[in-house]
Amino acid sequence: MVIVHKVPRAQKLIVKKKALVFPKEPAQNGPLMEDPHAKCHHKNAQNPAPASESSIAAPSSDREYTCPMHPEIIRMGPGSCPICGMVLEPKEFTVEEEDTSELTDMWRRFILCTVLTLPVMFQSMAEMIWPHARWLNPFPWSPAMTQGVLTTPIVLWGGWPFFVRGVRSLKGLNLNMFTLIALGTGTAFVYSWLALLFPEIFPPGFRSHGGNVPVYFEAAAVITTLVLLGQVLEMRARSKTSSAIKDLLNLAPKRAVKVLESGEEHEIPLEDVHTGDRLRVRPGEKVPVDGKIQSGNGLLDEAMMTGEPIPVEKKMDETVTGGTINQSGTFIMSAERVGKDTLLQQIVHMVGEAQRSRAPIQRLADVVAGYFVPAVVLTAVLTFIFWAIWGPDPRLAHGLLSAVAVLIIACPCALGLATPVSIMVGTGRGAQSGVLIKDAAALESLEKVDTLVVDKTGTLTLGRPKLVGLKSFGELSEDDLLQWSASLEQGSEHPLAQAIVTAAKEKNLSLNAPENFSNITGKGVQGEVKGQSIALGNRAMMKELGLETSLGESEATARETSGETVMWVAANNKIAGLLSVTDPIKPDTQEALEGIRALGIRIVMLTGDNKKTAAAVAKQVGITEVEAEVLPQRKIEVVKKLQGEGAFVAMAGDGINDAPALAQAEIGIAMGTGTDVAMESASITLVRGDLPGILRARLLSRATMKNIRQNLVFAFLYNTLGIPIAA
């Protein structure tokens, strides 16, 4: 049912972040319809005019809605796009049940119009077979009058939303599919009533051999009903494109158990959880937010994040992620990231942003669509003129019918939807498989990648190094050497540093706070521990300090050849010893690299590690192009060099030192297990931090682009062939 209300003041537009933001419409109960007089400040649209006294109302809503074809259009509350006329979709999805009132309204219109259209169509077609059969029209008036009476509610009620959008498109000069539908059905309907009521006003060119003026009520009725069916099918299809986001949102529990200071426990809504709250998670329950275990332990199913079916044991001080399932055990956790800061919500936000972005290939469809509707209208006019001059009698009637056919058969929305719907499905499928795509351009560009540059630590390897070797060359004992090194490394977030600190804690060594700490990117760290000057790093750092490493070269070389990473320790300007750390290669790395190579992609490994260790790791995974002892600025140079050679480069890394190269590459791929800086710099984030994710992303890009091209080709062919046939 259409609800009519008075709009007290003009609907003004608000420009916000390059988007067109509409205020929400007054609250009413009824279908999600737009104000037909609202205009959009976009392209050739005019300035907004005051709304008229009768407008179509939309239910009040505090949510922002946007158009999949024109994501720059944003308005408060549901409605339709002022550019293309399509129904707007929520900008941010929630776990609440989806508002389907627009779909319900269209479905109701379609059903009732179908019931009325069938007798109109039957009577119109049957008259050609039984022209004098009285039973076809049992009423005391003419068959044409019966058709007109039945067609009137079809066009004026069933097709009312299309006329509203058509008028709005004409007033805003944003011609679209509804412009053509309104012109086509409106022309056929008005002409038929005039021919029925005032046949004397029509010249001979409109009359048949018997002198009658033919009517085309069945054309208006059938077209309106078929367009309603198309709207129903389109709404259903588009609602399914958001299923990936809704599946992600449903991973989060609706409530959490809060533990008070007194020890009492209360169940609270998830939105009432704040940072620092203590929460209890029992067996079978979902972890409500991101945080850290304070007491107890649990066996967590982290498949939603890692894809691994094997549960992971979590103990005190270990982090847990909201949405994962506690299979056994009970623990109390401290909430650290809540609301939109949780990993799950960040994933949902990223997927939503990607789905609303526009791929470069969309520009072609936009250019064509910009000229499409005016070209169709011109074709319809030329068609009418052609039939009116050279067509058979009645010429004008045939010309009118052919012109209406041209207007109706054209489908500009097919061109506009070809790309955004595929992008929405592709990014949603990617999120479900642990591949977060920042925007549509990245999804399109990934298909073109022919060179993959990968970091070693955290990308090819697990990124969880373990101290395996310790050698003292001076007066310090091995425990003292480890204690001083770990004390210094407390100030570093590098995985190698964490391996040293963890080893010291396992030996129950007390650590001291370092002073004058400095991190020399790509080389090491230095500072003071209990008044002693300590430096820890690679050979390059030792050489900068003027220290000779010959004393431990044989030991270092042997360890590096076996794939271990060696770090030298200097105390008071003397080499004191060395530490060696190994970082196991991820079990699926080699298989993933083989799959990537099978796609014809060249693989290059860059690492800040020494040449011997890098060569050992590269040999294990089958990489032949390696550049070791690379500083962050050198990584950018390598990427630029490859680009200069004509390569389309994707860079995969996980650390802060990878961020510049990730930004430089055409496609930056960050491991979800890495740093936030790396993920901010990347176009694609692999939630699981696994190399097979790169293979999945590439195959997803290829499938999505194939689907887009198929859609565009079909849309072009349909319109290219359909319009001339209709003419």
Side-chain angles (χ1 to χ4, degrees), residues 36 232 238 260 264 289 327 389 415 487 518 529 571 644 654 669 676:
V232 169
R238 285 169 57 192
L260 304 179
E264 294 183 23
V289 295
Q327 292 190 343
I389 297 175
L415 294 171
S487 297
S518 63
V529 178
D654 75 325
I669 303 174
D676 291 339

Side-chain angles (χ1 to χ4, degrees), residues 19-30:
L20 307 178
V21 183
F22 292 76
K24 69 181 181 181
E25 295 175 350
Q28 293 283 350
N29 295 320

Side-chain angles (χ1 to χ4, degrees), residues 540-718:
M541 183 176 182
M542 296 299 116
K543 287 181 180 179
E544 279 190 6
L545 297 174
L547 302 178
E548 182 60 50
T549 59
S550 57
L551 182 62
E553 276 298 339
S554 59
E555 172 107 8
T557 300
R559 291 185 176 277
E560 288 169 347
T561 304
S562 64
E564 297 176 19
T565 299
V566 173
M567 291 168 286
W568 300 83
V569 183
N572 299 321
N573 295 320
K574 292 182 181 179
I575 295 293
L578 59 79
L579 308 172
S580 67
V581 172
T582 185
D583 188 6
I585 295 173
K586 293 177 181 177
D588 49 14
T589 292
Q590 189 166 354
E591 182 180 353
L593 291 178
E594 289 175 358
I596 293 170
R597 274 192 292 267
L599 295 175
I601 298 176
R602 170 188 178 191
I603 302 174
V604 180
M605 186 178 90
L606 299 182
T607 177
D609 217 333
N610 64 80
K611 294 181 180 179
K612 294 186 179 67
T613 302
V617 172
K619 184 178 180 180
Q620 292 181 56
V621 296
I623 295 177
T624 56
E625 294 186 67
V626 182
E627 188 157 346
E629 299 178 4
V630 176
L631 298 178
Q633 56 267 32
R634 175 58 184 161
K635 289 186 178 182
I636 297 181
E637 292 172 5
V638 172
V639 172
K640 287 182 177 179
K641 178 185 175 184
L642 292 169
Q643 290 171 331
E645 296 171 354
F648 201 92
V649 181
M651 167 74 189
D654 75 325
I656 294 175
N657 60 335
D658 297 318
L662 290 172
Q664 174 62 37
E666 278 85 0
I667 296 293
I669 303 174
M671 301 292 135
T673 51
T675 63
D676 291 339
V677 175
M679 286 184 271
E680 284 294 324
S681 304
S683 305
I684 294 174
T685 299
L686 306 179
V687 177
R688 307 170 193 169
D690 60 337
L691 275 181
I694 299 177
L695 187 59
R696 289 196 300 273
R698 171 58 180 256
L699 295 175
L700 178 65
S701 172
R702 177 184 288 182
T704 302
M705 294 310 300
K706 180 181 179 181
N707 187 254
I708 288 174
R709 293 188 186 100
Q710 288 174 342
N711 290 349
L712 287 173
V713 168
F714 181 80
F716 278 121
L717 282 177
Y718 168 80

Side-chain angles (χ1 to χ4, degrees), residues 338-546:
V338 302
K340 294 186 177 181
D341 294 329
T342 64
L343 175 63
L344 185 59
Q345 285 294 335
Q346 288 177 5
I347 291 173
V348 170
H349 177 73
M350 183 178 288
V351 174
E353 288 293 320
Q355 290 188 339
R356 290 190 295 274
S357 63
R358 295 170 73 77
I361 196 173
Q362 177 70 17
R363 294 171 189 161
L364 173 63
D366 289 343
V367 171
V368 174
Y371 296 98
F372 185 84
V373 177
V376 171
V377 174
L378 178 61
T379 303
V381 172
L382 294 175
T383 299
F384 176 80
I385 295 173
F386 178 89
W387 280 85
I389 297 175
W390 293 289
D393 291 327
R395 294 178 181 179
L396 295 180
H398 280 117
L400 179 65
L401 186 61
S402 298
V404 169
V406 170
L407 293 173
I408 296 304
I409 200 170
C411 189
C413 279
L415 294 171
L417 280 173
T419 297
V421 170
S422 296
I423 292 296
M424 290 178 73
V425 174
T427 51
R429 290 287 296 273
Q432 289 177 320
S433 62
V435 178
L436 301 184
I437 301 164
K438 184 172 287 187
D439 53 41
L443 187 61
E444 178 178 340
S445 298
L446 188 58
E447 184 195 33
K448 306 172 186 175
V449 169
D450 54 26
T451 302
L452 174 65
V453 177
V454 293
D455 177 49
K456 179 179 74 69
T457 305
T459 304
L460 298 178
T461 62
L462 289 172
R464 295 193 293 269
K466 184 175 182 181
L467 184 70
V468 293
L470 185 63
K471 182 72 174 180
S472 176
F473 300 136
E475 300 175 356
L476 291 176
S477 66
E478 290 186 351
D479 281 354
D480 289 340
L481 183 68
L482 178 58
Q483 183 183 33
W484 285 26
S485 299
S487 297
L488 181 63
E489 289 283 27
Q490 286 182 105
S492 174
E493 294 184 354
H494 197 282
L496 299 181
Q498 298 304 311
I500 296 171
V501 173
T502 301
K505 288 182 178 180
E506 288 176 352
K507 286 193 171 187
N508 295 320
L509 300 176
S510 59
L511 304 183
N512 302 292
E515 297 178 355
N516 301 321
F517 175 84
S518 63
N519 183 8
I520 304 171
T521 305
K523 295 180 180 179
V525 294
Q526 62 184 91
E528 295 181 3
V529 178
K530 295 183 68 174
Q532 305 296 317
S533 177
I534 306 295
L536 188 151
N538 55 23
R539 285 184 181 83
M541 183 176 182
M542 296 299 116
K543 287 181 180 179
E544 279 190 6
L545 297 174

